[in-house]
Amino acid sequence: MSKHILIVDDSASIRQMVEVTLKSAKYEVTSAPDGQAALDLCKSKSFDFVITDQNMPRMDGITLIKSLRAMPSYRSTPIIVLTTEAGGAMKAQGQAAGATGWMVKPFDPTKLLQVAAKVLG
Amino acid sequence: MNYREDDTDSEISLKSRHVLVIEDDIGFNQTVCLFLEDLEVNTTGAYTVAEGLEKISNSHFDFILLDGSLPDGRGADFLIGLSKLDLVIPVMMITAEEDQEQMAAYFGMGVDDYLLKPVNFGLIWLKMRRLYRAHIISIRERAKHKKLQELLNEKHLEEGLGRHVYKHLAGEKKELDHIIKSSMQSSGSFNGDFFLSLQGPSGNTFLMLLDATGHGLAAAISVLPQVAIMRAMVEKGFSLPNILFELNKKFNRDMPLDRFVAAVLVEIDHTLGELYVWNGSMPDVLILDNAGKIIRTVCSSHMAIGIMEPEEFNASLETIHLSGGEHLVLHSDGLVEQIGVNKQVFDTERLAQTIERCDEVGSLFDFLLSEFESHRGAVGLGDDVSLCYINLDLLTSHIQNQAQIKCLEPKKQGHIDLTVTINGDLLAKADILELLNSVMNQSQVAVETRQTGFTLFAELVSNALDHGVLGIDSEIKNNHERFIEYLELREQRLQNLSNSDEIKLHFNYNQSKGQIEFEILDSGAGYDPSSINTNDETSLAGRGLALIKQLAHSVECPSPGNKTSIILNEKK
């Protein structure tokens, strides 16, 4: 059975590119436009990997990670932050919230597939 | 959304095709490639104008996705380079909103469609599929159009050749146009009806009107061999039954089963004033008197040519004695079956009424044609339509005048004496009549005498060979039902000739006396001339001894009857 990945980004274009990239590697992909929508999905479904943007309306990426880590079923799920913000403070903030890794835009499909393969074993 | 193609026509599918993605955003470029690869489309990415042109020069691509703005130039630069390569590949642009003003120019440069960034991948795919399908269909249409043009050109050339052969076979005898009038109207590019008038070496006129199954080129093809056979056999002086047998035999052998030719064949003997008619599945042949009244019709009493097996074929002719002033009307069924503006067919009754309404028989042909045209108005021809009219008196006068003109030429004082002996196999192969005809031609024998001479020699040579050398009973030859038996017997005996089988001819022409002496001696047992029924008008082989006696100045056939001597005087 294929691994189920959740992609969270307010840019439809990025959501599509990530989705296309992951689907080409036969992953099952679900997407959400912000942190709140993602959290709602995670309450009813179980995902093997979460990729999230940082700056989003309603709920940002760091808040989402914190909320997920508070849920027993998402305590060890790999969560990657995909963002244009590459500052060290932000990375530290993310790490503190429980992010597994950090990917900086522009989006690189090859790198994303490498990361996905690594975290999903 | 399921992006998989469900096209059953693999040629218009993008599956396994090669797509070039020219886009400088590496992530987007790679994603598009991944997306397409997942749909089993082969992809190659390029990131600059130069790289795009380099790839397209070195590999085959079926589709191009092009960004409007690249690091070393604009999409337009790539399109200019592409046009120089003379490649016809569909191009779809994926461009930022600010490039929109450029789009009109891009379309002029060969772009087929575009999408604005950010793009929806599903939309890319749908548009690509649609463009590629349209591109392939357009290529197919162009190929079909090209093929169609080639076929039309080929057809044009073939029809040109066909028309040339047709015209050549029909021949053109302008000097007889006012006597033998014919109108041949074709419902297609070719006419399946054919009319031919020929003059035989005996001076007799032969007419043939054919109507082949169907119309157009297929019908014309059925007709052409018939015309060639007719022309060759008339020139060689064959009798009408012989010609008919040959026409049917060749057609039966060479043409498909569903093809046949309805035909009327007519021979006019100007010397005896007789008309011989064979009608096979054609409308009635009409014979009119000088007042334009129909005095005789010859309806079809035979199957069309090509239907009967040779052994079943009936070549018997209807003989009509002419009393002077007759006119002949021949037509194909296309004339009487033509639908008119009133939705009714022209029909035979209307034809008869129209003939009756014509005040002057001399203008009958034009009157019939004009009435036919008024009947059909703007309605297209349903079949090939032919109408032929012959003024028999004028025709006979013309033939006789022609002979007299030749007679009036200054006389020369020449003499020719020729003795020919033919035996064995050569009797079957040598064309004795052709030889005699040629001798008469070379000797400048007057036309009319030559024609009479030919008729006489034909009869005498035929008698000497068939009844003398081959020993065939004339009863068999003259019986309609046994004519085929006669032909078979003749063929069989001709194959078993020995050197003792012989015909000796003596031809002597004296120009100053205007006289031909002709003697023919065969190696047969001879016969008693008084035992032959010379008045049998229905005899197939024709006119026999009675004819010889009528045409020659004197005839001698001494016992035992294997030699005949005649004297033929030139008419002054």
Side-chain angles (χ1 to χ4, degrees):
Chain A
M1 202 177 142
S2 65
K3 301 285 186 183
H4 199 167
I5 302 175
L6 176 64
I7 161 75
V8 192
D9 201 309
D10 58 340
S11 157
S13 170
I14 293 288
R15 279 205 306 273
Q16 249 201 112
M17 278 164 54
V18 173
E19 206 174 318
V20 164
T21 304
L22 295 172
K23 277 183 175 171
S24 75
K26 309 298 167 212
Y27 294 114
E28 192 182 342
V29 183
T30 298
S31 59
D34 58 56
Q36 187 56 58
L39 190 60
D40 293 343
L41 276 168
C42 290
K43 282 175 184 163
S44 57
K45 274 186 182 170
S46 169
F47 294 96
D48 302 299
F49 181 25
V50 177
I51 300 164
T52 179
D53 185 18
Q54 161 53 13
N55 292 323
M56 292 180 291
R58 296 214 295 166
M59 181 187 285
D60 63 27
I62 303 289
T63 313
L64 172 65
I65 295 167
K66 279 182 185 164
S67 309
L68 289 176
R69 290 301 183 215
M71 290 162 64
S73 54
Y74 282 90
R75 201 156 290 159
S76 58
T77 303
I79 304 174
I80 292 283
V81 182
L82 180 66
T83 178
T84 46
E85 293 179 39
M90 189 59 76
K91 277 187 184 173
Q93 214 183 334
Q95 204 169 358
T100 316
W102 202 269
M103 279 182 75
V104 182
K105 292 179 184 175
F107 170 67
D108 181 342
T110 316
K111 205 168 163 190
L112 175 68
L113 288 175
Q114 283 170 356
V115 170
K118 200 171 163 187
V119 298
L120 290 167
Chain B
M1 182 176 174
N2 180 16
Y3 298 134
R4 299 277 160 190
E5 290 185 273
D6 51 7
D7 288 321
T8 47
D9 185 347
S10 63
E11 210 192 353
I12 59 168
S13 158
L14 270 165
K15 192 172 165 184
S16 303
R17 305 278 168 221
H18 199 177
V19 176
L20 177 62
V21 183
I22 309 172
E23 163 68 59
D24 63 331
D25 179 336
I26 298 169
F28 182 65
N29 191 321
Q30 288 183 355
T31 309
V32 171
C33 289
L34 279 172
F35 174 71
L36 294 175
E37 295 277 350
D38 198 39
L39 292 162
E40 298 177 63
V41 178
N42 300 321
T43 59
T44 294
Y47 302 91
T48 60
V49 170
E51 198 184 350
L53 287 172
E54 187 253 320
K55 301 243 174 190
I56 200 89
S57 307
N58 297 324
S59 303
H60 169 80
F61 289 96
D62 302 291
F63 201 101
I64 298 169
L65 285 173
L66 176 66
D67 186 11
S69 176
L70 293 156
D72 58 344
R74 303 201 59 81
D77 299 317
F78 175 81
L79 292 169
I80 291 165
L82 180 66
S83 69
K84 287 180 186 160
L85 294 172
D86 201 25
L87 295 170
V88 183
I89 305 171
V91 178
M92 185 163 86
M93 294 200 64
I94 298 178
T95 182
E97 207 166 345
E98 60 267 25
D99 289 325
Q100 273 201 88
E101 281 184 13
Q102 284 275 331
M103 277 320 298
Y106 283 149
F107 272 102
M109 295 170 85
V111 164
D112 297 278
D113 204 351
Y114 75 104
L115 271 173
L116 283 181
K117 287 180 184 173
V119 292
N120 177 295
F121 279 76
L123 210 53
I124 293 181
W125 180 236
L126 289 174
K127 282 204 171 196
M128 281 178 75
R129 276 179 62 184
R130 178 175 287 190
L131 283 184
Y132 190 68
R133 179 193 292 258
H135 169 71
I136 295 297
I137 288 171
S138 130
I139 288 173
R140 283 180 183 174
E141 288 303 315
R142 275 201 296 274
K144 275 186 197 164
H145 181 73
K146 193 171 166 233
K147 184 74 188 162
L148 183 65
Q149 280 304 324
E150 284 169 3
L151 287 173
L152 285 174
N153 287 342
E154 207 174 311
K155 183 171 178 274
H156 182 71
L157 286 174
E158 283 173 355
E159 285 185 352
L161 175 68
R163 262 187 282 278
H164 176 86
V165 174
Y166 220 73
K167 204 174 158 188
H168 176 76
L169 279 174
E172 282 182 4
K173 286 192 174 169
K174 295 274 180 212
E175 78 268 21
L176 287 176
D177 275 0
H178 65 295
I179 301 170
I180 300 177
K181 297 179 180 180
S182 63
S183 158
M184 315 297 292
Q185 297 187 66
S186 169
S187 60
S189 56
F190 271 94
N191 203 331
D193 287 3
F194 202 100
F195 176 68
L196 185 67
S197 71
L198 298 165
Q199 198 177 337
S202 65
N204 288 3
T205 302
F206 290 79
L207 307 171
M208 178 166 84
L209 178 62
L210 301 175
D211 178 2
T213 335
H215 41 261
L217 188 58
I221 284 172
S222 313
V223 156
L224 294 181
Q226 303 279 300
V227 177
I229 293 168
M230 176 77 180
R231 190 177 279 281
M233 291 186 80
V234 167
E235 269 172 24
K236 286 192 161 66
F238 279 97
S239 71
L240 206 49
N242 270 307
I243 296 173
L244 279 159
F245 265 104
E246 194 62 17
L247 290 175
N248 184 67
K249 193 174 94 182
K250 289 271 166 61
F251 198 97
N252 199 286
R253 187 191 67 192
D254 299 339
M255 299 300 286
L257 281 175
D258 61 340
R259 296 274 149 191
F260 47 87
V261 177
V264 163
L265 278 90
V266 176
E267 182 179 354
I268 306 157
D269 188 324
H270 302 288
T271 315
L272 293 176
E274 285 187 339
L275 198 66
Y276 312 105
V277 183
W278 186 91
N279 187 344
S281 300
M282 286 288 278
D284 292 358
V285 171
L286 310 175
I287 297 154
L288 283 57
D289 65 11
N290 231 351
K293 190 173 174 234
I294 300 171
I295 50 170
R296 177 93 185 251
T297 57
V298 182
C299 65
S300 163
S301 53
H302 304 285
M303 298 288 258
I305 291 171
I307 295 179
M308 307 299 281
E309 291 297 320
E311 56 272 19
E312 294 164 344
F313 186 74
N314 185 345
S316 61
L317 310 171
E318 190 149 340
T319 303
I320 295 150
H321 295 283
L322 299 170
S323 48
E326 285 94 343
H327 305 257
L328 193 63
V329 174
L330 314 175
H331 64 280
S332 63
D333 59 359
L335 182 91
V336 284
E337 287 169 8
Q338 175 64 41
I339 304 280
V341 279
N342 58 0
K343 312 268 185 214
Q344 289 175 352
V345 292
F346 194 67
D347 78 37
T348 46
E349 203 174 318
R350 192 189 304 256
L351 176 65
Q353 286 166 358
T354 310
I355 291 172
E356 226 169 79
R357 277 196 289 118
C358 181
D359 300 329
E360 168 55 48
V361 70
S363 59
L364 178 66
F365 179 74
D366 295 328
F367 183 68
L368 276 177
L369 278 184
S370 108
E371 288 295 300
F372 175 76
E373 289 306 324
S374 317
H375 163 78
R376 85 172 175 107
V379 179
L381 290 174
D383 192 2
D384 302 326
V385 173
S386 43
L387 175 69
C388 312
Y389 160 86
I390 301 100
N391 183 326
L392 293 173
D393 266 7
L394 279 182
L395 181 61
T396 301
S397 305
H398 175 84
I399 303 286
Q400 285 167 352
N401 282 342
Q402 211 182 24
Q404 276 164 15
I405 289 164
K406 300 272 181 183
C407 285
L408 289 173
E409 285 166 6
K411 263 200 158 320
K412 286 174 187 154
Q413 304 298 314
H415 182 246
I416 186 164
D417 192 277
L418 185 78
T419 304
V420 180
T421 304
I422 307 173
N423 70 14
D425 282 344
L426 281 179
L427 279 170
K429 287 169 188 151
D431 193 338
I432 303 173
L433 276 179
E434 179 63 34
L435 172 76
L436 289 167
N437 198 34
S438 165
V439 170
M440 286 195 289
N441 258 325
Q442 297 297 317
S443 316
Q444 297 182 323
V445 174
V447 176
E448 201 180 356
T449 311
R450 197 166 74 223
Q451 290 165 352
T452 311
F454 189 90
T455 308
L456 286 169
F457 302 155
E459 205 58 39
L460 290 168
V461 170
S462 160
N463 283 343
L465 185 64
D466 291 358
H467 309 313
V469 176
L470 302 177
I472 301 169
D473 188 342
S474 61
E475 273 307 300
I476 301 178
K477 188 174 174 181
N478 291 338
N479 185 328
H480 295 148
E481 273 130 43
R482 298 180 72 189
F483 195 73
I484 190 74
E485 186 189 333
Y486 152 72
L487 288 176
E488 281 169 359
L489 194 60
R490 189 176 188 276
E491 189 62 28
Q492 179 198 332
R493 293 195 181 170
L494 280 174
Q495 282 174 7
N496 295 310
L497 290 167
S498 72
N499 282 356
S500 61
D501 294 315
E502 181 178 282
I503 286 181
K504 190 176 274 184
L505 310 166
H506 180 215
F507 174 91
N508 181 300
Y509 173 55
N510 186 323
Q511 270 190 318
S512 60
K513 280 167 78 179
Q515 190 176 71
I516 295 173
E517 289 173 21
F518 182 74
E519 191 177 276
I520 183 162
L521 173 71
D522 66 68
S523 57
Y527 75 107
D528 174 9
S530 62
S531 68
I532 305 290
N533 177 8
T534 56
N535 292 320
D536 183 3
E537 287 174 359
T538 60
S539 74
L540 254 191
R543 293 78 76 179
L545 207 53
L547 175 75
I548 297 170
K549 283 181 175 166
Q550 189 182 339
L551 296 177
H553 180 69
S554 77
V555 183
E556 279 179 32
C557 187
S559 185
N562 63 344
K563 183 169 94 172
T564 309
S565 310
I566 62 160
I567 293 176
L568 178 63
N569 286 332
E570 272 185 326
K571 285 187 182 163
K572 302 292 179 196

